[in-house]
Amino acid sequence: MLKELNPLLHSQLRLAIMSILLSVEEAEFVYIKEQTNSTAGNLSIQLEKLSEAGYIEVEKSFIGKKPRTVCRMTEVGRSAMEEYLDALKGYFANL
Amino acid sequence: MLKELNPLLHSQLRLAIMSILLSVEEAEFVYIKEQTNSTAGNLSIQLEKLSEAGYIEVEKSFIGKKPRTVCRMTEVGRSAMEEYLDALKGYFANL
DNA sequence: TAAATTTGGTTTATAAAATAAACTTGTTTA
DNA sequence: TAAACAAGTTTATTTTATAAACCAAATTTA
């Protein structure tokens, strides 16, 4: 039987964010925005959702006088990704 | 760089439909409904979208006096699934 | 040096998708 | 023959994603 796909991860942009954070330890808002080709508004919202779920940590600070937002994945986030991948595999068993 | 995920396939229910049709050659409306735990309305709509895109064929007939809707995947649908899987892999390169 | 532009976002509004509820047409059954 | 069921479709509602507008501070430019 097909497993449910975690709806928080099953979103183009949120998945892209998580994918980047799998590969990079930490990433700035602007970097993620560029890599994903997303608008700042959309990114802001999706980061918050991932953060609320505990999948990522978002750290806001100032570097000099510029705001700086850095994100990194949590262990919870990493396991969620593993589970999601696992579920996904079921959908392609016959390909 | 991460590839775009075909939005027609990047949907829990439509992906489940396609997954079933990968494994089964053809399937009836009612069967798909049971396997996916979807409502008839939702399924009806998603089948139509897949059909419009040419990813599946939907054949409506009568078996005696009962309507019968049978679906099967097209070659176009199969390649779309292959491409989608391929794109997806990029998102988990580091897992 | 005042006006315009850029940076790094957040908030609000709009569009698109998914889902659920209601309805249809014909059938069986109590 | 009225009630319930089957197999869907249509319409309405909710949720999600996206885009547009906005903000404050800093920087560039005329």
Side-chain angles (χ1 to χ4, degrees), chain A residues 29-30 40-41 44-45 60 67 69:
Chain A
F29 186 97
V30 174
S44 179
I45 284 168
K60 285 156 207 278
T69 299

Side-chain angles (χ1 to χ4, degrees), chain A residues 9 11 28 35 50-51 55 63 76 78 94:
Chain A
L9 294 179
S11 135
E28 292 187 19
Q35 294 294 309
L50 290 170
S51 172
Y55 288 3
I63 184 93
V76 174
R78 175 173 292 267
N94 295 284

Side-chain angles (χ1 to χ4, degrees), chain B residues 53-66:
Chain B
Y55 288 4
I56 65 172
E57 283 170 3
V58 179
E59 197 184 299
K60 286 154 207 277
S61 61
F62 280 84
I63 182 93
K65 285 167 185 172
K66 280 187 194 169

Side-chain angles (χ1 to χ4, degrees), chain B residues 25-88:
Chain B
E25 192 58 32
E26 67 174 47
E28 293 189 17
F29 187 98
V30 174
Y31 175 78
I32 298 176
K33 179 172 175 296
E34 283 166 3
Q35 295 293 308
T36 57
N37 269 310
S38 57
T39 61
N42 195 8
L43 182 55
S44 180
I45 284 167
Q46 307 311 330
L47 286 178
E48 202 182 311
K49 285 184 188 172
L50 291 171
S51 171
E52 262 173 36
Y55 288 4
I56 65 172
E57 283 170 3
V58 179
E59 197 184 299
K60 286 154 207 277
S61 61
F62 280 84
I63 182 93
K65 285 167 185 172
K66 280 187 194 169
R68 177 174 184 257
T69 299
V70 187
C71 311
R72 62 184 74 76
M73 178 161 326
T74 64
E75 259 318 300
V76 174
R78 175 173 291 267
S79 348
M81 281 291 275
E82 279 165 9
E83 237 179 276
Y84 175 72
L85 175 57
D86 199 57
L88 219 38

